[in-house]
Amino acid sequence: MAHSPQFWNRIAQRYAKKPIEDVPAYEKKLSVMMTYLAPHMKVLEIGCGTGSTAIQIAPLVTHIDALDISSEMLDIATARAQSAEVQNIQFLETDIDRFDAAPQSYDVVLGMSVLHLLEARDRSLASVAQLLKPGGYFISSTPCMGDFMAYFRYIAPVGQRLGLLPTVRVFTSAELEQAILLSGFSIDYYWRPSKNKSVFIVAKRKYREPTPHQ
Ligand SMILES: C[S@@+](CC[C@H](N)C(=O)[O-])C[C@H]1O[C@@H](n2cnc3c(N)ncnc32)[C@H](O)[C@@H]1O
């Protein structure tokens, strides 16, 4: 994990300039996401990167806490929010695993292109469940490389050791779905444009406490 912030800091400017890979898919995800938002809501985004999604949805909710481990990503996000005159986003430099907020603080948590980058995905999912109000939603989009390039699990550690890659985890969409269910959610919406594209999941936090992961 130690090198991940450095990796994201190094590529932040390039990441900011990179066009969205699949605009229709992103727009569909955004429009589905928006149906889960309302003006009274408090939202958390984990791994907000350069802030694009948070800035788009900010007018629809009362407040967004947007966190990321990369200070360079957050600098770009802050500048973008300022130029868009968006004032209800607080950008925070922290790891999701170190983020300290009261349980049930949020109505919605977003995790766009980040679950595969987490050191301990299931522990982070448990934190997300804790941070959400019962009945709240966790909205995520995740490349599940286990479905279409499982061999990457052997390449990733080498790339990480060489500093060419951040922490990357390879899992299948079925494994991700199972992990989300085990963290105390039910699946409300599931969509994937095609097998090698990110899986978009809207998961609803159950009203009772989750059973711990085995
Ligand atoms: C692929 S980018 C996605 C950024 C943004 N969500 C988007 O969709 O464009 C992943 C982001 O997650 C951040 N990140 C990686 N691991 C993290 C962690 N453990 N806690 C918080 N942020 C993390 C990285 O710094 C990076 O900005």
Side-chain angles (χ1 to χ4, degrees):
M1 212 330 273
H3 61 265
S4 277
Q6 288 91 317
F7 173 87
W8 292 107
N9 282 340
R10 199 169 68 234
I11 69 149
Q13 290 294 342
R14 252 183 300 143
Y15 190 87
K17 289 192 192 115
K18 212 174 79 173
I20 294 170
E21 211 176 280
D22 182 345
V23 175
Y26 178 70
E27 282 177 353
K28 175 167 171 169
K29 290 172 196 175
L30 207 54
S31 66
V32 172
M33 188 186 289
M34 285 174 174
T35 66
Y36 287 88
L37 303 176
H40 68 276
M41 288 183 172
K42 205 175 156 195
V43 174
L44 172 70
E45 182 172 13
I46 60 174
C48 66
T50 57
S52 320
T53 302
I55 291 166
Q56 299 224 47
I57 63 161
L60 302 179
V61 299
T62 186
H63 182 80
I64 303 177
D65 285 329
L67 62 87
D68 202 286
I69 50 169
S70 160
S71 57
E72 297 290 329
M73 289 284 201
L74 292 171
D75 285 349
I76 297 168
T78 304
R80 284 183 168 178
Q82 271 164 7
S83 60
E85 295 183 8
V86 166
Q87 286 167 355
N88 60 341
I89 306 176
Q90 185 181 23
F91 291 105
L92 302 159
E93 185 184 339
T94 179
D95 190 307
I96 172 62
D97 289 329
R98 297 202 189 90
F99 180 56
D100 193 20
Q104 305 186 9
S105 289
Y106 299 97
D107 301 283
V108 171
V109 177
L110 308 177
M112 305 301 284
S113 299
V114 72
L115 290 181
H116 63 304
L117 302 171
L118 302 177
E119 191 71 27
R121 180 199 61 204
D122 295 349
R123 192 177 62 210
S124 304
L125 284 172
S127 306
V128 168
Q130 280 273 313
L131 290 165
L132 271 172
K133 293 175 186 167
Y137 291 96
F138 176 46
I139 304 178
S140 62
S141 180
T142 312
C144 296
M145 288 176 279
D147 288 343
F148 59 94
M149 48 189 286
Y151 60 85
F152 196 71
R153 79 177 79 235
Y154 304 108
I155 296 171
V158 180
Q160 282 153 35
R161 272 198 296 277
L162 296 173
L164 301 173
L165 289 176
T167 300
V168 186
R169 296 283 181 252
V170 177
F171 45 76
T172 64
S173 50
E175 285 164 349
L176 175 63
E177 196 179 341
Q178 185 65 5
I180 290 175
L181 292 172
L182 281 172
S183 301
F185 293 94
S186 57
I187 306 286
D188 204 63
Y189 184 94
Y190 184 104
W191 180 64
R192 174 157 60 165
S194 63
K195 198 179 171 194
N196 61 351
K197 293 282 169 71
S198 291
V199 177
F200 180 68
I201 295 177
V202 180
K204 183 173 186 175
R205 188 208 193 274
K206 288 186 182 164
Y207 284 85
R208 57 182 170 69
E209 286 303 309
T211 320
H213 284 276
Q214 299 296 316

